[in-house]
Amino acid sequence: MAICFELVLNFGDNVEAAQAAARTDTKPWVLNAGGHRIPLHRPLLSTLGSNIELTILPVAVGWGVGLDGSLPRFPLTAAEFTELGHHLYDLLAQLDGYVTAKVGWDVEALLDPAELKAEWSQELADGSLDGLVISDSLRGELELSDNYVPFQPGYCWIPYRGEVPSSLTAD
């Protein structure tokens, strides 16, 4: 089973926006994390139920990621993962048409609008889901804390706080 540090965008059923975002050329995106320069894999589109998701994975930072092949992992600290996360949000700010998005470890479970309403309503209301970007169109359907602020036009979020040291980092 792969453990991925990733940027994932949920486009709902907006095929055109998902396909446009999937055409994003990630080759020029080499992200700094401490002294490391980390390239990105090509964006991956997938369909989960009625949702179209786009995943952008940094190269060689997760565990068991098939796209990495036999590449050695970058031994990143929590601070370096945080820096990498901020750069992924910079990339996200250039995309549009998604409903929800988030950077972090295996974040897909936090992106389905129906699951957000049913399973994560308390966390949305108390503002504990930092880094979750929500479209203004979905915002009206959710009860969000007052801590949500603009991310870019059409989107709000509680700013990303970064990664904490754990067994998944080199700290």
Side-chain angles (χ1 to χ4, degrees):
M1 180 175 133
I3 301 173
C4 302
F5 187 78
E6 59 196 350
L7 163 61
V8 182
L9 300 81
N10 181 318
F11 287 89
D13 62 0
N14 190 339
V15 174
E16 294 80 21
Q19 289 174 338
R23 288 190 294 271
T24 300
D25 183 8
T26 58
K27 282 190 177 183
W29 284 84
V30 177
L31 308 179
N32 293 319
H36 306 283
R37 293 183 40 81
I38 301 173
L40 300 174
H41 288 292
R42 211 169 61 87
L44 302 170
L45 268 180
S46 60
T47 302
L48 299 171
S50 62
N51 293 302
I52 302 166
E53 290 188 348
L54 180 76
T55 302
I56 300 176
L57 292 160
V59 172
V61 300
W63 279 265
V65 177
L67 293 173
D68 291 338
S70 61
L71 291 172
R73 284 188 63 256
F74 289 102
L76 301 181
T77 65
E80 290 167 334
F81 273 112
T82 296
E83 181 180 359
L84 182 59
H86 284 291
H87 291 309
L88 288 168
Y89 279 108
D90 291 342
L91 173 57
L92 176 61
Q94 298 181 32
L95 303 174
D96 198 18
Y98 57 92
V99 179
T100 58
K102 186 160 177 35
V103 168
W105 293 101
D106 295 327
V107 297
E108 294 87 355
L110 296 169
L111 299 178
D112 182 307
E115 287 184 27
L116 283 171
K117 291 175 199 173
E119 305 293 328
W120 298 98
S121 60
Q122 181 60 45
E123 291 82 354
L124 291 167
D126 68 21
S128 60
L129 293 177
D130 70 282
L132 176 63
V133 180
I134 299 173
S135 68
D136 287 348
S137 62
L138 180 59
R139 181 181 193 160
E141 299 176 31
L142 303 172
E143 292 184 33
L144 302 180
S145 89
D146 294 336
N147 297 337
Y148 282 82
V149 298
F151 173 72
Q152 67 175 35
Y155 296 91
C156 65
W157 74 331
I158 291 179
Y160 176 63
R161 295 182 192 121
E163 303 302 313
V164 297
S166 73
S167 60
L168 296 178
T169 64
D171 283 342

